[in-house]
């Protein structure tokens, strides 16, 4: 398994994809934090915006949660990590070297969990680098400890699990474009609809987006799961999708 | 054909491939239908058939990428999926596709890691296939010939005893084909490895291989050594004479099979070329041309492709094909090669 993880790491770092996704995640996370802080004066002027005052703990936690906006990049990273084997027809040499295909899927799950964790640490370092000096300049004394640290860690954990879920989605769908587009439509169209309909909003709690939100939400939402429950549920989504992918897609003929 | 010389001491014993009753259907199409043959070590075996004959499906089933409906392929008795170290036992080239953004060397290092091989193997096989200069370039910019070489390098990573190559000469220039030919013969004859090479072009494999397995429509058509199947003594002979009519009768009396393609031209089978020349001489018939036209092997393959690809417009057939007339059924082979009706 160590050999297979080394192979997956070499696959990832021998093309430029990781760099663009990591840069995208950093820009989006740092950018959202910067926008929030930059426009905090205007937000303060209109109390109905719902954004807490800049000196409050709630505001600094909101600013430090910028990394949670980039979890979708980790989902895409995992999806591409799996589906590129089919897209570029490298599944043939990969499964020739490792005929037990389940091992390939498992090694990708572990690799993308680990890599997403590492990248998420970098993304959140960018968020901290943007937020801390700026907030202290605005008179809010913030340190990355206590509840603030919890916000950062939960955003890192959510991103890491999304990398794993991406591998699972890719294993099941095989077609890269379909998997990426399908996942985005699911997250940004299907889940919001389910959430907005009263009959199904209870189910949202147990869907991947709801599980992620229970991990990363800074403002307490009583309808969501506990953070540890959400973590387990999201990990289970990754594993179940990967197993389903192995059973229904990965074992199919490579012709 | 020739006995392997002991200049190389393989880590494992020589490996024989046994393909046994392999079948695969895709919908209503029998891609491969009860196919059995054996590939011996120390030889280059050609796997020949027209496009769509089932060659690639057979190879992919033999390598565990496609699950057969029935039958199996084994390497020294073991299924591919059960090999302890597949890369070090069987090397295969089925694709010339690589991730376009990855360099050739990075591609090889991925599989070094996956197979637990030392990274030096990547540079070693690149040198072996003459790709050292292109190693750091992205494969997206490779020519088809370079892709073929990189594919071959991938197959060689684990220094396997068995090599399976699907259409390896595609995209190679004549020099590359010559190089590949010598390389494969060296691996088989001098090192005792088992080499199986597929092709849809007879001319491509005829000079490379020792044995040949011909399939058509997913079934075995003929299996035998080149020495048997391409024996010049059993070739079709083409002759041109102003007295062709006289000679025609003489040849029939001597027991040869004769076809007339024009008033001055005859195609003769079942009689050695020297005997035909002698007969013409003793009969006092003037000859303007006397040459070997096609071997038995060419004849078998021509018939197969003609039937399968519907080259019925034989007016475009090359001059040395045995006439534009419909080809008669082949005579029963006198040589000890296997024929299986298809």
């Amino acid at each position: 398994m160590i050999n297979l993880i080394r192979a997956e790491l070499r696959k990832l770092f021998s093309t430029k994809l990781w760099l663009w996704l990591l840069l995208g995640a950093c820009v989006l996370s740092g950018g959202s934090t910067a926008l929030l802080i930059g426009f905090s004066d205007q937000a303060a002027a209109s109390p109905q915006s719902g954004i807490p005052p800049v000196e409050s703990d709630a505001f600094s936690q909101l600013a430090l949660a910028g990394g949670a906006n980039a979890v979708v990049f980790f989902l895409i990273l995992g999806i591409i990590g799996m589906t590129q084997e089919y897209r570029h027809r490298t599944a043939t040499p990969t499964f020739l070297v490792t005929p037990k295909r389940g091992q390939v899927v498992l090694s990708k799950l572990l690799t993308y969990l680990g890599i997403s964790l590492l990248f998420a640490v970098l993304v959140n370092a960018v968020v901290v680098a943007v937020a801390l000096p700026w907030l202290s300049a605005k008179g809010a004394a913030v340190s990355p400890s206590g509840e603030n640290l919890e916000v950062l860690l939960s955003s890192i954990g959510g991103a890491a699990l999304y990398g794993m879920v991406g591998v699972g989605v890719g294993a099941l769908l095989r077609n890269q474009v379909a998997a990426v587009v399908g996942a985005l439509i699911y997250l940004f169209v299907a889940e919001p609809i389910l959430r907005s309909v009263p009959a199904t909003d209870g189910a949202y709690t147990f869907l991947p987006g709801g599980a992620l939100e229970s991990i990363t939400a800074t403002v307490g939402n009583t309808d969501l799961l506990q953070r540890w429950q959400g973590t387990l549920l999201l990990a289970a989504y990754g594993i179940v999708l990967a197993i389903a992918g192995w059973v229904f897609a990965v074992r199919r003929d490579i012709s | 054909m020739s006995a392997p010389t002991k200049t190389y001491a393989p880590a494992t014993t020589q490996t024989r491939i046994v393909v046994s009753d392999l079948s695969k259907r895709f919908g209503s199409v029998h891609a491969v239908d009860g196919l059995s043959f054996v590939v011996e070590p120390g030889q280059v075996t050609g796997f020949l058939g027209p496009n769509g004959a089932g060659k690639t499906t057979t190879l992919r089933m033999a390598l565990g990428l496609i699950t057969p409906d029935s039958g199996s392929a084994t390497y020294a008795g073991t299924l591919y999926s059960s090999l302890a170290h597949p890369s070090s036992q069987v090397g295969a080239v089925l694709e010339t596709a690589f991730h376009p953004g990855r360099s050739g060397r990075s591609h090889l290092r991925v599989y070094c890691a996956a197979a637990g091989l030392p990274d030096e193997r990547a540079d070693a096989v690149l040198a072996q296939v003459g790709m050292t200069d292109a190693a750091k370039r992205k494969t997206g910019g490779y020519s088809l010939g370079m892709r073929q070489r990189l594919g071959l390098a991938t197959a060689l990573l684990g220094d396997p005893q068995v090599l399976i190559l699907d259409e390896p000469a595609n995209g190679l220039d004549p020099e590359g084909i010559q190089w590949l030919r010598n390389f494969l013969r060296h691996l088989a004859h001098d090192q005792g490895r088992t080499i199986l090479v597929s092709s849809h072009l007879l001319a491509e494999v005829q000079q490379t291989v020792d044995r040949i397995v011909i399939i058509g429509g997913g079934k075995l058509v003929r299996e035998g050594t080149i020495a048997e199947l391409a024996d010049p003594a059993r070739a079709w002979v083409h002759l041109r004479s102003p007295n062709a009519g006289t000679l025609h009768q003489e040849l029939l009396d001597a027991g040869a099979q004769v076809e007339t393609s024009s008033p001055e031209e005859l195609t003769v089978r079942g009689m050695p070329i020297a005997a035909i020349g002698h007969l013409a001489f003793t009969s006092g018939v003037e000859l303007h041309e006397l040459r070997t036209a096609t071997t038995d092997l060419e004849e078998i393959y021509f018939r197969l492709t003609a039937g399968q690809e519907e080259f019925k417009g034989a007016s475009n057939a090359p001059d040395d094909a045995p006439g534009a007339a419909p080809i008669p059924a082949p005579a029963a082979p006198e040589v000890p090669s296997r024929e299986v009706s298809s």
Side-chain angles (χ1 to χ4, degrees):
Chain A
M1 190 47 64
I2 296 294
N3 284 339
L4 291 180
I5 290 173
R6 275 178 60 223
E8 289 305 323
L9 289 174
R10 285 183 177 184
K11 282 177 198 172
L12 178 64
F13 289 112
S14 57
T15 66
K16 291 279 183 342
L17 173 81
W18 68 273
L19 191 59
W20 294 118
L21 286 178
L22 180 57
L23 278 176
C26 288
V27 168
L28 189 74
S29 302
S32 68
T33 298
L35 283 175
L36 182 73
I37 302 174
F39 290 103
S40 59
D41 296 340
Q42 285 90 326
S46 56
Q48 70 271 27
S49 70
I51 293 177
V54 71
E55 304 79 16
S56 66
D57 288 348
F59 186 88
S60 26
Q61 284 168 25
L62 204 55
L64 288 173
N69 293 317
V71 286
V72 70
F73 281 89
F74 296 88
L75 185 72
I76 292 172
L77 182 71
I79 290 175
I80 294 180
M82 186 70 221
T83 53
Q84 67 175 358
E85 299 276 5
Y86 297 101
R87 181 176 164 85
H88 298 298
R89 305 195 59 78
T90 51
T92 294
T94 295
F95 292 145
L96 282 176
V97 172
T98 314
K100 294 182 175 66
R101 300 184 194 176
Q103 291 187 357
V104 174
V105 178
L106 180 60
S107 69
K108 283 187 191 285
L109 275 181
L110 295 174
T111 303
Y112 284 88
L113 177 68
I115 281 296
S116 300
L117 194 68
L118 179 70
F119 284 6
V121 168
L122 294 172
V123 167
N124 281 277
V126 170
V127 169
V128 168
V130 171
L132 289 198
W134 203 343
L135 284 174
S136 61
K138 281 182 174 280
V142 181
S143 72
S145 60
E147 281 188 28
N148 290 338
L149 183 62
E150 228 171 86
V151 167
L152 292 170
L153 289 180
S154 62
S155 138
I156 291 169
L161 291 172
Y162 253 41
M164 207 168 102
V165 171
V167 172
V169 171
L172 194 57
L173 291 182
R174 300 215 302 190
N175 180 310
Q176 186 163 307
V177 175
V180 171
V181 172
L184 294 182
I185 288 177
Y186 171 78
L187 279 184
F188 296 114
V189 180
E191 272 198 357
I193 291 174
L194 289 174
R195 190 184 190 180
S196 65
V197 176
T200 53
D201 70 343
Y204 170 76
T205 312
F206 301 99
L207 294 174
L212 177 74
E213 201 179 332
S214 71
I215 300 172
T216 58
T218 51
V219 187
N221 182 337
T222 49
D223 291 342
L224 294 169
L225 296 173
Q226 296 292 310
R227 190 167 277 162
W228 67 270
Q229 291 172 322
T231 304
L232 287 182
L233 182 60
L234 206 49
Y237 269 114
I239 292 166
V240 168
L241 281 167
I243 291 174
W246 175 63
V247 170
F248 296 114
V250 177
R251 290 196 301 181
R252 287 217 304 259
D253 291 345
I254 307 287
S255 53
Chain B
M1 187 159 73
S2 60
T5 50
K6 278 288 167 192
T7 53
Y8 178 79
T12 52
T13 50
Q14 296 192 339
T15 307
R16 164 194 261 195
I17 310 173
V18 178
V19 172
S20 163
D21 198 31
L22 218 45
S23 292
K24 181 73 178 183
R25 282 176 72 142
F26 294 116
S28 61
V29 180
H30 280 280
V32 178
D33 193 359
L35 183 61
S36 300
F37 61 91
V38 173
V39 184
E40 299 287 352
Q43 299 182 341
V44 181
T45 300
F47 188 40
L48 194 65
N51 287 323
K55 301 186 296 294
T56 300
T57 303
T58 301
L59 298 184
R60 285 186 174 268
M61 285 196 282
L63 293 161
L65 294 169
I66 291 180
T67 309
D69 294 338
S70 69
S72 66
T74 56
Y75 304 85
T78 307
L79 289 171
Y80 186 86
S81 56
S82 304
L83 293 173
H85 303 286
S87 305
S88 304
Q89 292 166 283
V90 179
V93 186
L94 297 171
E95 297 273 4
T96 50
F98 306 95
H99 192 300
R102 194 173 282 145
S103 74
R105 188 162 177 272
S106 295
H107 164 84
L108 293 169
R109 285 166 56 87
V110 163
Y111 296 107
C112 280
L117 297 165
D119 291 346
E120 298 82 71
R121 284 298 299 162
D123 295 319
V125 293
L126 281 167
Q128 220 175 339
V129 301
M131 284 280 289
T132 304
D133 290 344
K136 295 196 172 151
R137 281 167 47 193
K138 290 182 178 177
T139 63
Y142 282 9
S143 67
L144 184 53
M146 293 164 86
R147 290 161 179 275
Q148 288 285 11
R149 286 173 189 253
L150 183 59
L152 186 57
T154 315
L156 291 168
L157 269 181
D159 197 20
Q161 195 60 29
V162 176
L163 264 189
I164 295 177
L165 312 176
D166 194 13
E167 302 273 357
N170 260 359
L172 290 183
D173 52 24
E175 193 191 350
I177 291 177
Q178 182 65 42
W179 168 83
L180 180 70
R181 180 171 292 158
N182 293 336
F183 185 66
L184 295 181
R185 293 178 74 90
H186 169 69
L187 292 178
H189 300 168
D190 302 338
Q191 305 188 342
R193 297 185 206 238
T194 313
I195 316 266
L196 181 63
V197 187
S198 85
S199 177
H200 65 285
L201 297 173
L202 175 63
E204 204 171 79
V205 293
Q206 207 172 0
Q207 296 172 53
T208 312
V209 306
D210 309 303
R211 277 185 90 253
I212 202 156
V213 173
I214 304 178
I215 69 166
K219 294 178 177 173
L220 186 65
V221 173
R222 188 76 83 89
E223 177 181 19
T225 65
I226 287 289
E228 293 160 2
L229 294 174
D231 184 356
R234 290 179 35 79
W236 293 64
V237 173
H238 185 83
L239 69 81
R240 209 152 52 80
S241 163
N243 311 109
T246 316
L247 197 54
H248 190 161
Q249 195 53 50
E250 299 267 356
L251 286 163
L252 287 176
D253 292 347
Q257 279 177 267
V258 186
E259 282 171 32
T260 316
S261 41
S262 83
E264 292 205 342
E265 286 175 287
L266 298 177
T267 304
V268 187
R269 196 186 181 203
M271 198 168 177
I273 193 163
I276 297 168
H278 183 73
L279 185 68
F281 177 73
T282 54
S283 316
V285 172
E286 186 180 335
L287 285 183
H288 292 170
E289 188 179 6
L290 181 66
R291 62 182 167 87
T292 302
T294 55
T295 62
D296 198 20
L297 179 59
E298 286 166 328
E299 194 44 40
I300 294 167
Y301 199 62
F302 180 79
R303 206 183 304 277
L304 188 64
T305 50
Q308 290 235 335
E309 296 183 354
E310 296 177 352
F311 289 155
K312 293 279 161 56
S315 53
N316 292 332
D319 283 343
D320 56 357
I327 302 147
E334 297 137 36
V335 289
S337 59
R338 267 175 70 199
E339 180 166 70
V340 174
S341 61
S342 55

